[in-house]
Coordinates of all heavy atoms in Angstrom, one line a residue:
M1 N 49.7 -1.2 -21.4 CA 48.6 -2.1 -21.2 C 47.4 -1.2 -21.2 O 47.3 -0.2 -20.5 CB 48.9 -2.7 -19.8 CG 47.7 -3.5 -19.3 SD 48.1 -4.3 -17.7 CE 47.9 -5.9 -18.1
P2 N 46.3 -1.6 -21.9 CA 45.1 -0.9 -22.0 C 44.3 -1.0 -20.7 O 44.3 -2.0 -20.0 CB 44.4 -1.5 -23.2 CG 44.9 -2.9 -23.2 CD 46.3 -2.8 -22.8
D3 N 43.6 0.1 -20.4 CA 42.6 0.1 -19.3 C 41.5 -0.9 -19.7 O 41.1 -0.9 -20.8 CB 42.1 1.5 -19.1 CG 41.1 1.6 -17.9 OD1 40.0 1.0 -18.0 OD2 41.5 2.3 -17.0
R4 N 41.1 -1.7 -18.7 CA 40.1 -2.7 -19.0 C 38.7 -2.1 -19.4 O 37.9 -2.8 -20.1 CB 39.9 -3.7 -17.8 CG 39.2 -3.0 -16.6 CD 39.0 -4.0 -15.6 NE 38.2 -3.5 -14.5 CZ 37.7 -4.1 -13.5 NH1 37.8 -5.4 -13.5 NH2 37.0 -3.5 -12.6
N5 N 38.5 -0.9 -19.1 CA 37.2 -0.2 -19.4 C 37.3 0.7 -20.6 O 36.3 1.1 -21.2 CB 36.6 0.5 -18.2 CG 36.2 -0.4 -17.1 OD1 35.7 -1.5 -17.3 ND2 36.5 0.0 -15.9
D6 N 38.5 1.1 -21.0 CA 38.8 2.0 -22.1 C 40.1 1.7 -22.7 O 41.1 2.1 -22.2 CB 38.7 3.4 -21.5 CG 38.9 4.5 -22.6 OD1 39.1 4.1 -23.8 OD2 38.8 5.7 -22.3
A7 N 40.1 1.0 -23.8 CA 41.3 0.5 -24.5 C 42.1 1.7 -25.0 O 43.3 1.5 -25.3 CB 40.9 -0.5 -25.6
Q8 N 41.5 2.9 -25.1 CA 42.2 4.0 -25.6 C 43.1 4.6 -24.5 O 44.0 5.4 -24.8 CB 41.2 5.1 -26.1 CG 40.3 4.7 -27.2 CD 41.1 4.2 -28.5 OE1 42.0 5.0 -28.9 NE2 40.8 3.1 -29.0
Q9 N 42.8 4.3 -23.3 CA 43.6 4.8 -22.2 C 44.6 3.7 -21.7 O 44.2 2.8 -21.0 CB 42.7 5.3 -21.0 CG 41.7 6.3 -21.4 CD 42.3 7.6 -21.8 OE1 43.3 8.0 -21.1 NE2 41.8 8.3 -22.8
G10 N 45.8 3.9 -22.0 CA 46.8 2.9 -21.6 C 47.5 3.3 -20.4 O 47.6 4.4 -19.9
V11 N 48.1 2.3 -19.8 CA 49.0 2.4 -18.6 C 50.3 1.7 -18.8 O 50.3 0.6 -19.3 CB 48.3 1.8 -17.3 CG1 49.2 1.9 -16.1 CG2 46.9 2.5 -17.1
I12 N 51.4 2.4 -18.5 CA 52.7 1.8 -18.6 C 52.9 0.9 -17.4 O 53.0 1.5 -16.3 CB 53.8 2.8 -18.8 CG1 53.6 3.6 -20.1 CG2 55.2 2.1 -18.8 CD1 54.5 4.7 -20.3
V13 N 53.1 -0.4 -17.5 CA 53.3 -1.2 -16.4 C 54.8 -1.6 -16.2 O 55.2 -2.2 -15.3 CB 52.5 -2.5 -16.4 CG1 51.0 -2.1 -16.2 CG2 52.7 -3.3 -17.6
G14 N 55.6 -1.3 -17.2 CA 57.0 -1.7 -17.1 C 57.8 -1.1 -18.3 O 57.2 -0.9 -19.4
V15 N 59.0 -0.9 -18.1 CA 59.9 -0.5 -19.2 C 61.2 -1.4 -19.1 O 61.7 -1.6 -18.0 CB 60.3 1.0 -19.0 CG1 61.3 1.4 -20.0 CG2 59.1 1.9 -19.0
L16 N 61.7 -1.8 -20.2 CA 62.9 -2.6 -20.3 C 64.1 -1.6 -20.6 O 64.0 -0.9 -21.5 CB 62.8 -3.7 -21.3 CG 61.8 -4.8 -21.1 CD1 61.7 -5.7 -22.3 CD2 62.1 -5.5 -19.8
F17 N 65.1 -1.7 -19.7 CA 66.3 -0.9 -19.9 C 67.4 -1.7 -20.4 O 67.4 -2.9 -20.3 CB 66.7 -0.2 -18.6 CG 65.6 0.8 -18.1 CD1 64.8 0.5 -17.1 CD2 65.5 2.1 -18.7 CE1 63.8 1.4 -16.6 CE2 64.6 3.0 -18.2 CZ 63.7 2.6 -17.2
S18 N 68.4 -1.1 -20.9 CA 69.6 -1.8 -21.4 C 70.8 -1.0 -21.1 O 70.7 0.1 -20.4 CB 69.5 -2.0 -22.9 OG 69.6 -0.8 -23.6
E19 N 72.0 -1.4 -21.5 CA 73.2 -0.6 -21.2 C 73.2 0.7 -22.0 O 73.9 1.6 -21.7 CB 74.4 -1.4 -21.5 CG 74.6 -2.6 -20.5 CD 75.9 -3.4 -20.6 OE1 76.6 -3.1 -21.5 OE2 76.1 -4.3 -19.9
V20 N 72.4 0.7 -23.1 CA 72.3 1.9 -24.0 C 71.1 2.8 -23.4 O 71.3 4.0 -23.3 CB 72.0 1.5 -25.4 CG1 71.8 2.7 -26.3 CG2 73.2 0.7 -26.0
D21 N 70.0 2.2 -23.1 CA 68.9 2.9 -22.6 C 68.8 2.6 -21.1 O 68.2 1.7 -20.6 CB 67.6 2.4 -23.2 CG 66.3 3.1 -22.8 OD1 66.5 4.2 -22.2 OD2 65.2 2.6 -23.0
T22 N 69.6 3.4 -20.3 CA 69.8 3.1 -18.9 C 68.6 3.6 -18.0 O 68.0 4.6 -18.4 CB 71.1 3.8 -18.4 OG1 71.0 5.2 -18.7 CG2 72.3 3.2 -19.1
P23 N 68.4 2.9 -16.9 CA 67.3 3.3 -16.0 C 67.7 4.6 -15.3 O 68.8 5.0 -15.2 CB 67.2 2.2 -15.1 CG 68.6 1.6 -15.1 CD 69.1 1.7 -16.5
P24 N 66.7 5.4 -14.8 CA 66.9 6.6 -14.1 C 67.3 6.4 -12.7 O 66.8 7.1 -11.8 CB 65.5 7.3 -14.3 CG 64.6 6.2 -14.3 CD 65.2 5.1 -15.0
N25 N 68.2 5.5 -12.4 CA 68.6 5.2 -11.1 C 69.9 4.5 -11.1 O 70.5 4.4 -12.2 CB 67.5 4.4 -10.4 CG 67.6 4.5 -8.9 OD1 68.6 4.2 -8.3 ND2 66.5 5.0 -8.2
T26 N 70.3 3.8 -10.0 CA 71.5 3.1 -10.0 C 71.4 1.7 -10.5 O 72.4 1.0 -10.4 CB 72.1 3.1 -8.6 OG1 71.1 2.6 -7.7 CG2 72.4 4.6 -8.1
A27 N 70.2 1.2 -10.9 CA 70.1 -0.2 -11.3 C 70.9 -0.4 -12.6 O 70.9 0.4 -13.5 CB 68.6 -0.5 -11.6
A28 N 71.5 -1.5 -12.6 CA 72.3 -1.9 -13.8 C 71.5 -2.8 -14.7 O 70.4 -3.3 -14.3 CB 73.6 -2.7 -13.4
A29 N 72.0 -3.0 -16.0 CA 71.3 -3.9 -16.9 C 71.1 -5.2 -16.3 O 72.0 -5.8 -15.6 CB 72.1 -4.0 -18.2
G30 N 69.9 -5.8 -16.4 CA 69.6 -7.1 -15.8 C 69.0 -7.1 -14.5 O 68.5 -8.1 -14.0
E31 N 69.0 -5.9 -13.9 CA 68.4 -5.8 -12.5 C 66.9 -5.3 -12.7 O 66.5 -4.7 -13.7 CB 69.2 -4.8 -11.7 CG 70.6 -5.3 -11.4 CD 71.4 -4.4 -10.5 OE1 71.1 -3.2 -10.5 OE2 72.3 -4.9 -9.9
F32 N 66.1 -5.6 -11.6 CA 64.7 -5.3 -11.6 C 64.5 -4.0 -10.8 O 64.9 -4.1 -9.6 CB 63.9 -6.4 -11.1 CG 62.4 -6.1 -11.0 CD1 61.6 -6.1 -12.0 CD2 61.9 -5.7 -9.7 CE1 60.2 -5.8 -11.9 CE2 60.6 -5.4 -9.6 CZ 59.7 -5.4 -10.7
L33 N 64.0 -3.0 -11.3 CA 63.8 -1.7 -10.6 C 62.3 -1.4 -10.6 O 61.7 -1.3 -11.6 CB 64.6 -0.6 -11.2 CG 64.3 0.8 -10.7 CD1 64.8 1.0 -9.3 CD2 65.0 1.8 -11.6
L34 N 61.8 -1.2 -9.4 CA 60.4 -0.7 -9.2 C 60.5 0.7 -8.7 O 61.0 0.9 -7.5 CB 59.6 -1.6 -8.3 CG 58.1 -1.2 -8.0 CD1 57.3 -1.3 -9.3 CD2 57.6 -2.2 -7.0
L35 N 60.2 1.7 -9.5 CA 60.5 3.1 -9.1 C 59.2 3.9 -9.1 O 58.4 3.8 -10.0 CB 61.4 3.7 -10.1 CG 61.7 5.2 -10.0 CD1 62.5 5.5 -8.8 CD2 62.5 5.7 -11.3
H36 N 59.0 4.6 -8.0 CA 57.8 5.5 -7.8 C 58.1 6.9 -8.0 O 59.3 7.3 -7.8 CB 57.2 5.3 -6.4 CG 55.9 5.9 -6.2 ND1 55.8 7.2 -5.7 CD2 54.6 5.6 -6.6 CE1 54.5 7.5 -5.6 NE2 53.8 6.6 -6.2
A37 N 57.2 7.7 -8.5 CA 57.4 9.2 -8.7 C 57.9 9.9 -7.4 O 58.5 10.9 -7.5 CB 56.2 9.8 -9.2
S38 N 57.6 9.3 -6.2 CA 58.0 9.9 -5.0 C 59.5 9.8 -4.7 O 60.1 10.5 -3.8 CB 57.3 9.2 -3.8 OG 57.7 7.9 -3.7
G39 N 60.1 9.0 -5.5 CA 61.6 8.7 -5.3 C 61.8 7.4 -4.6 O 62.9 6.9 -4.5
A40 N 60.7 6.7 -4.1 CA 60.9 5.4 -3.5 C 61.2 4.4 -4.6 O 60.6 4.5 -5.7 CB 59.6 5.1 -2.7
Y41 N 62.0 3.4 -4.2 CA 62.3 2.4 -5.2 C 62.7 1.1 -4.5 O 63.1 1.1 -3.3 CB 63.4 2.8 -6.2 CG 64.7 3.1 -5.6 CD1 65.6 2.0 -5.4 CD2 65.1 4.4 -5.3 CE1 66.9 2.3 -4.9 CE2 66.4 4.6 -4.8 CZ 67.3 3.6 -4.6 OH 68.5 3.8 -4.0
L42 N 62.6 0.0 -5.3 CA 63.0 -1.3 -4.8 C 63.8 -1.9 -6.0 O 63.4 -1.8 -7.1 CB 61.8 -2.2 -4.5 CG 62.0 -3.6 -4.1 CD1 60.9 -4.1 -3.2 CD2 62.2 -4.5 -5.2
T43 N 65.0 -2.3 -5.7 CA 65.8 -2.9 -6.8 C 66.2 -4.3 -6.4 O 66.8 -4.5 -5.3 CB 67.1 -2.0 -6.9 OG1 66.8 -0.7 -7.1 CG2 67.9 -2.5 -8.1
L44 N 66.0 -5.3 -7.3 CA 66.5 -6.6 -7.2 C 67.8 -6.6 -8.0 O 67.8 -6.5 -9.2 CB 65.5 -7.6 -7.7 CG 64.1 -7.7 -7.0 CD1 63.2 -8.7 -7.6 CD2 64.3 -8.0 -5.5
K45 N 68.9 -6.8 -7.3 CA 70.2 -6.6 -7.9 C 70.8 -7.9 -8.5 O 70.4 -9.0 -8.1 CB 71.1 -6.0 -6.9 CG 70.6 -4.7 -6.4 CD 71.5 -4.0 -5.4 CE 72.6 -3.5 -6.2 NZ 73.0 -2.1 -6.0
N46 N 71.7 -7.8 -9.4 CA 72.3 -8.9 -10.1 C 73.1 -9.8 -9.1 O 73.2 -11.0 -9.3 CB 73.2 -8.4 -11.2 CG 72.5 -7.9 -12.3 OD1 71.3 -8.3 -12.6 ND2 73.0 -6.9 -13.0
D47 N 73.6 -9.2 -8.0 CA 74.3 -10.0 -7.0 C 73.4 -10.8 -6.0 O 73.9 -11.4 -5.1 CB 75.3 -9.2 -6.3 CG 74.7 -8.1 -5.4 OD1 73.4 -8.0 -5.3 OD2 75.4 -7.3 -4.8
G48 N 72.1 -10.7 -6.2 CA 71.2 -11.4 -5.3 C 70.7 -10.6 -4.1 O 69.9 -11.0 -3.4
S49 N 71.2 -9.4 -4.0 CA 70.8 -8.5 -2.9 C 69.6 -7.6 -3.4 O 69.2 -7.6 -4.5 CB 71.9 -7.6 -2.4 OG 72.3 -6.7 -3.4
M50 N 69.0 -6.9 -2.4 CA 67.9 -6.1 -2.7 C 68.1 -4.7 -2.1 O 68.5 -4.7 -0.9 CB 66.6 -6.7 -2.2 CG 65.3 -5.9 -2.4 SD 63.9 -6.6 -1.6 CE 63.8 -8.2 -2.3
D51 N 67.9 -3.7 -2.8 CA 67.9 -2.3 -2.2 C 66.5 -1.8 -2.1 O 65.7 -1.9 -3.1 CB 68.7 -1.4 -3.1 CG 70.2 -1.6 -3.0 OD1 70.6 -2.3 -2.1 OD2 70.9 -1.0 -3.8
I52 N 66.2 -1.2 -1.0 CA 64.9 -0.6 -0.8 C 65.1 0.8 -0.3 O 65.9 1.0 0.7 CB 64.0 -1.3 0.3 CG1 63.7 -2.8 -0.2 CG2 62.7 -0.5 0.5 CD1 63.0 -3.6 0.9
N53 N 64.6 1.8 -1.0 CA 64.7 3.2 -0.6 C 63.3 3.7 -0.4 O 62.5 3.7 -1.3 CB 65.4 4.0 -1.7 CG 65.4 5.5 -1.3 OD1 65.9 5.8 -0.2 ND2 64.9 6.3 -2.1
A54 N 62.9 4.0 0.9 CA 61.6 4.4 1.2 C 61.6 5.7 2.0 O 61.6 5.6 3.3 CB 60.8 3.3 1.9
P55 N 61.7 6.8 1.4 CA 61.8 8.1 2.2 C 60.6 8.2 3.2 O 60.8 8.9 4.2 CB 61.8 9.2 1.1 CG 62.2 8.5 -0.1 CD 61.7 7.1 0.0
G56 N 59.5 7.7 2.9 CA 58.3 7.8 3.8 C 58.3 6.7 4.8 O 57.4 6.7 5.7
G57 N 59.2 5.8 4.8 CA 59.3 4.7 5.8 C 58.7 3.4 5.3 O 58.1 3.4 4.2
I58 N 58.9 2.4 6.0 CA 58.4 1.1 5.7 C 57.5 0.6 6.9 O 58.0 0.6 8.0 CB 59.6 0.1 5.4 CG1 60.4 0.6 4.3 CG2 59.0 -1.3 5.2 CD1 61.7 -0.3 4.1
K59 N 56.4 0.1 6.6 CA 55.5 -0.5 7.6 C 55.2 -1.9 7.3 O 54.8 -2.2 6.2 CB 54.2 0.3 7.7 CG 53.2 -0.2 8.8 CD 51.9 0.6 8.8 CE 52.2 2.0 9.4 NZ 50.9 2.7 9.5
I60 N 55.4 -2.8 8.2 CA 55.2 -4.2 8.1 C 54.2 -4.6 9.1 O 54.3 -4.4 10.3 CB 56.5 -5.1 8.2 CG1 57.5 -4.7 7.2 CG2 56.2 -6.5 8.2 CD1 58.9 -5.3 7.4
T61 N 53.1 -5.2 8.7 CA 52.1 -5.8 9.6 C 52.2 -7.3 9.6 O 52.1 -7.9 8.6 CB 50.7 -5.4 9.1 OG1 50.6 -4.0 9.1 CG2 49.6 -5.9 10.1
G62 N 52.5 -7.8 10.8 CA 52.8 -9.2 11.0 C 54.1 -9.5 11.6 O 54.9 -8.6 11.8
N63 N 54.4 -10.7 11.8 CA 55.6 -11.1 12.4 C 56.7 -11.1 11.4 O 56.5 -11.3 10.2 CB 55.5 -12.5 13.1 CG 54.5 -12.6 14.2 OD1 54.4 -11.6 14.9 ND2 53.8 -13.7 14.3
V64 N 57.9 -10.8 11.8 CA 59.1 -10.8 11.0 C 60.1 -11.7 11.5 O 60.5 -11.7 12.7 CB 59.7 -9.3 10.9 CG1 60.9 -9.3 10.0 CG2 58.7 -8.4 10.3
T65 N 60.6 -12.6 10.7 CA 61.7 -13.5 11.1 C 62.9 -13.2 10.2 O 62.8 -13.1 9.0 CB 61.3 -15.0 10.8 OG1 60.1 -15.2 11.6 CG2 62.4 -15.9 11.2
V66 N 64.1 -13.0 10.8 CA 65.3 -12.7 10.1 C 66.3 -13.8 10.4 O 66.5 -14.2 11.6 CB 65.9 -11.3 10.6 CG1 67.2 -11.1 9.9 CG2 64.9 -10.2 10.3
T67 N 66.9 -14.4 9.4 CA 68.0 -15.3 9.6 C 69.3 -14.5 9.2 O 69.5 -14.2 8.1 CB 67.8 -16.6 8.7 OG1 66.6 -17.2 9.0 CG2 69.0 -17.5 8.9
G68 N 70.0 -14.2 10.2 CA 71.2 -13.4 9.9 C 71.3 -12.2 10.9 O 70.5 -12.2 11.9
T69 N 72.2 -11.3 10.7 CA 72.4 -10.2 11.6 C 71.7 -9.0 11.2 O 71.6 -8.7 10.0 CB 73.9 -9.9 11.6 OG1 74.6 -11.1 12.0 CG2 74.3 -8.8 12.6
I70 N 71.1 -8.3 12.1 CA 70.5 -7.0 11.8 C 71.4 -5.9 12.3 O 71.9 -5.9 13.4 CB 69.1 -6.9 12.6 CG1 68.1 -8.0 12.0 CG2 68.5 -5.5 12.4 CD1 66.8 -8.0 12.8
T71 N 71.7 -5.0 11.4 CA 72.6 -3.9 11.7 C 71.8 -2.6 11.5 O 71.1 -2.4 10.5 CB 73.8 -3.9 10.8 OG1 74.5 -5.1 10.9 CG2 74.8 -2.7 11.1
A72 N 71.8 -1.7 12.5 CA 71.1 -0.4 12.4 C 72.1 0.7 12.7 O 72.9 0.6 13.6 CB 70.0 -0.4 13.4
S73 N 72.0 1.8 11.9 CA 72.9 2.9 12.2 C 72.2 3.8 13.2 O 72.9 4.7 13.8 CB 73.1 3.7 10.9 OG 71.9 4.2 10.4
G74 N 70.9 3.6 13.5 CA 70.2 4.4 14.5 C 69.8 3.5 15.7 O 70.2 2.4 15.8
D75 N 69.0 4.0 16.5 CA 68.6 3.2 17.7 C 67.6 2.2 17.3 O 67.0 2.2 16.2 CB 67.9 4.2 18.7 CG 67.7 3.6 20.1 OD1 68.1 2.5 20.3 OD2 67.1 4.3 20.9
V76 N 67.4 1.2 18.1 CA 66.4 0.1 17.9 C 65.5 0.2 19.2 O 66.0 0.2 20.3 CB 67.1 -1.3 17.8 CG1 66.0 -2.4 17.8 CG2 68.0 -1.3 16.6
I77 N 64.2 0.2 18.9 CA 63.2 0.3 20.0 C 62.3 -0.9 20.0 O 61.7 -1.2 19.0 CB 62.4 1.6 19.9 CG1 63.3 2.8 20.0 CG2 61.3 1.7 21.0 CD1 62.7 4.1 19.7
G78 N 62.3 -1.7 21.1 CA 61.4 -2.8 21.2 C 60.5 -2.7 22.4 O 60.9 -2.4 23.5
A79 N 59.2 -2.8 22.2 CA 58.2 -2.6 23.2 C 58.4 -1.3 24.0 O 58.2 -1.3 25.2 CB 58.2 -3.8 24.1
G80 N 58.8 -0.3 23.3 CA 59.0 1.0 23.8 C 60.3 1.2 24.6 O 60.5 2.3 25.1
I81 N 61.2 0.2 24.5 CA 62.5 0.3 25.2 C 63.6 0.6 24.2 O 63.8 -0.2 23.3 CB 62.8 -0.9 26.0 CG1 61.7 -1.1 27.1 CG2 64.2 -0.9 26.7 CD1 61.8 -2.4 27.9
S82 N 64.3 1.7 24.4 CA 65.3 2.0 23.5 C 66.6 1.2 23.7 O 67.0 1.1 24.9 CB 65.7 3.5 23.6 OG 67.0 3.8 23.1
L83 N 67.1 0.6 22.7 CA 68.4 -0.2 22.9 C 69.5 0.7 23.3 O 70.4 0.3 24.1 CB 68.7 -1.0 21.7 CG 69.8 -2.0 21.7 CD1 69.4 -3.1 22.8 CD2 70.0 -2.7 20.4
D84 N 69.6 1.9 22.8 CA 70.6 2.9 23.0 C 70.5 3.6 24.4 O 71.5 4.0 24.9 CB 70.6 4.0 21.9 CG 71.6 3.6 20.8 OD1 72.3 2.6 20.9 OD2 71.6 4.4 19.8
N85 N 69.2 3.7 24.8 CA 69.0 4.7 25.9 C 68.1 4.1 27.0 O 67.2 4.7 27.5 CB 68.3 5.9 25.3 CG 68.4 7.1 26.1 OD1 69.3 7.3 26.9 ND2 67.5 8.0 25.9
H86 N 68.5 2.9 27.5 CA 67.8 2.3 28.6 C 68.7 2.0 29.8 O 70.0 1.9 29.6 CB 67.0 1.0 28.2 CG 68.0 -0.2 27.9 ND1 68.6 -0.3 26.7 CD2 68.4 -1.2 28.7 CE1 69.3 -1.4 26.7 NE2 69.2 -2.0 27.9
E87 N 68.2 1.8 30.9 CA 69.0 1.5 32.1 C 68.5 0.2 32.7 O 67.4 -0.3 32.5 CB 68.8 2.7 33.1 CG 69.4 4.0 32.6 CD 69.2 5.1 33.6 OE1 68.0 5.4 34.0 OE2 70.2 5.7 34.1
H88 N 69.4 -0.4 33.6 CA 69.1 -1.6 34.3 C 69.2 -1.3 35.8 O 70.0 -0.4 36.2 CB 70.1 -2.7 34.0 CG 70.0 -3.2 32.6 ND1 69.3 -4.3 32.2 CD2 70.6 -2.7 31.4 CE1 69.4 -4.5 30.9 NE2 70.2 -3.5 30.4
L89 N 68.5 -2.0 36.6 CA 68.7 -2.0 38.0 C 69.8 -3.0 38.4 O 69.7 -4.2 37.9 CB 67.4 -2.3 38.8 CG 66.3 -1.2 38.8 CD1 65.0 -1.8 39.4 CD2 66.8 0.0 39.5
Y90 N 70.7 -2.7 39.3 CA 71.6 -3.7 39.8 C 71.9 -3.4 41.2 O 71.7 -2.3 41.7 CB 72.9 -3.7 39.0 CG 73.9 -2.6 39.3 CD1 75.1 -2.9 39.9 CD2 73.7 -1.3 38.9 CE1 76.0 -1.9 40.2 CE2 74.6 -0.3 39.2 CZ 75.7 -0.6 39.9 OH 76.6 0.4 40.1
N91 N 72.3 -4.4 41.9 CA 72.6 -4.3 43.4 C 74.0 -4.6 43.6 O 74.4 -5.8 43.7 CB 71.6 -5.3 44.1 CG 71.6 -5.0 45.6 OD1 72.5 -4.4 46.1 ND2 70.6 -5.5 46.3
P92 N 74.8 -3.6 43.8 CA 76.3 -3.8 44.0 C 76.7 -4.3 45.3 O 77.9 -4.6 45.5 CB 76.8 -2.4 43.7 CG 75.8 -1.5 44.1 CD 74.5 -2.2 43.8
G93 N 75.8 -4.5 46.2 CA 76.2 -4.9 47.6 C 75.1 -4.5 48.6 O 73.9 -4.7 48.3
N94 N 75.5 -4.1 49.7 CA 74.5 -3.6 50.7 C 73.8 -2.4 50.2 O 74.3 -1.6 49.4 CB 75.2 -3.3 52.0 CG 75.7 -4.5 52.7 OD1 75.3 -5.6 52.5 ND2 76.8 -4.3 53.5
G95 N 72.5 -2.3 50.5 CA 71.8 -1.1 50.1 C 70.9 -1.5 49.0 O 70.8 -2.7 48.6
G96 N 70.1 -0.6 48.5 CA 69.1 -0.8 47.4 C 69.7 -0.9 46.1 O 70.9 -0.6 45.8
A97 N 68.9 -1.3 45.2 CA 69.3 -1.5 43.8 C 69.6 -0.1 43.2 O 69.0 0.9 43.6 CB 68.3 -2.2 43.0
T98 N 70.5 0.0 42.3 CA 70.9 1.2 41.6 C 70.7 1.1 40.1 O 70.8 0.1 39.6 CB 72.4 1.5 41.9 OG1 72.6 1.5 43.3 CG2 72.8 2.9 41.4
L99 N 70.3 2.2 39.5 CA 70.2 2.2 38.1 C 71.6 2.3 37.4 O 72.5 3.1 37.9 CB 69.4 3.4 37.6 CG 67.9 3.3 37.7 CD1 67.2 4.6 37.3 CD2 67.4 2.2 36.7
T100 N 71.8 1.5 36.4 CA 73.1 1.7 35.7 C 72.9 2.9 34.8 O 71.9 3.5 34.7 CB 73.3 0.5 34.7 OG1 72.3 0.5 33.7 CG2 73.3 -0.8 35.4
G101 N 74.0 3.4 34.2 CA 73.9 4.5 33.3 C 73.3 4.0 32.0 O 73.2 2.8 31.7
K102 N 72.8 4.8 31.2 CA 72.2 4.5 29.9 C 73.3 4.0 29.0 O 74.4 4.4 29.0 CB 71.5 5.6 29.3 CG 70.3 6.0 30.1 CD 69.5 7.2 29.6 CE 68.3 7.6 30.4 NZ 67.6 8.8 30.0
G103 N 72.9 3.1 28.1 CA 73.9 2.6 27.1 C 74.7 1.5 27.7 O 75.7 1.1 27.0
Q104 N 74.4 0.9 28.8 CA 75.1 -0.2 29.4 C 74.6 -1.5 28.9 O 73.4 -1.6 28.6 CB 75.0 -0.2 31.0 CG 75.5 1.1 31.6 CD 77.0 1.3 31.4 OE1 77.8 0.5 31.7 NE2 77.4 2.5 30.9
D105 N 75.4 -2.5 28.9 CA 75.0 -3.9 28.5 C 74.4 -4.6 29.7 O 74.7 -4.4 30.8 CB 76.2 -4.7 27.9 CG 76.6 -4.1 26.6 OD1 75.8 -3.5 25.9 OD2 77.8 -4.2 26.3
Ligands
FE2_201 FE1 70.3 -3.8 28.4

């Protein structure tokens, strides 16, 4: 695609791959791959799923709504409270409230 101010300077905005001319990633023929020189990529896969690889992290500004289950291999922190590493107060009987151990439900 030519630069709007200098038609001699072009920019590649996309490349079509095939089973012969394969993409430089795990994307298969028919899938959409957006690949950055940093190694970050987004793949729209043939099975309807999406892969996102963002070594620098992902930042979302705004509310997020998920229909389905969220699975994390690491901790989840909400409003500064670690899901893996928080405690509750409970009162087992006479006396004051006691903290549960961390990681309790
Ligand atoms: Fe809890």
Side-chain angles (χ1 to χ4, degrees):
M1 172 176 238
D3 183 292
R4 70 179 186 167
N5 296 319
D6 183 358
Q8 299 300 313
Q9 301 296 319
V11 177
I12 297 172
V13 293
V15 177
L16 296 176
F17 294 104
S18 68
E19 292 183 1
V20 175
D21 183 18
T22 58
N25 202 300
T26 57
E31 295 181 336
F32 176 82
L33 169 67
L34 182 61
L35 175 66
H36 187 265
S38 67
Y41 63 84
L42 182 151
T43 307
L44 299 179
K45 303 184 70 129
N46 290 329
D47 66 1
S49 67
M50 179 187 304
D51 284 349
I52 299 173
N53 179 54
I58 298 172
K59 181 182 287 183
I60 298 171
T61 301
N63 297 326
V64 176
T65 302
V66 175
T67 301
T69 302
I70 297 175
T71 303
S73 61
D75 195 5
V76 175
I77 299 171
I81 299 171
S82 161
L83 191 60
D84 266 356
N85 202 22
H86 70 277
E87 296 179 298
H88 294 265
L89 286 173
Y90 79 109
N91 192 342
N94 294 334
T98 306
L99 280 173
T100 65
K102 295 178 179 176
Q104 302 294 309
D105 292 329

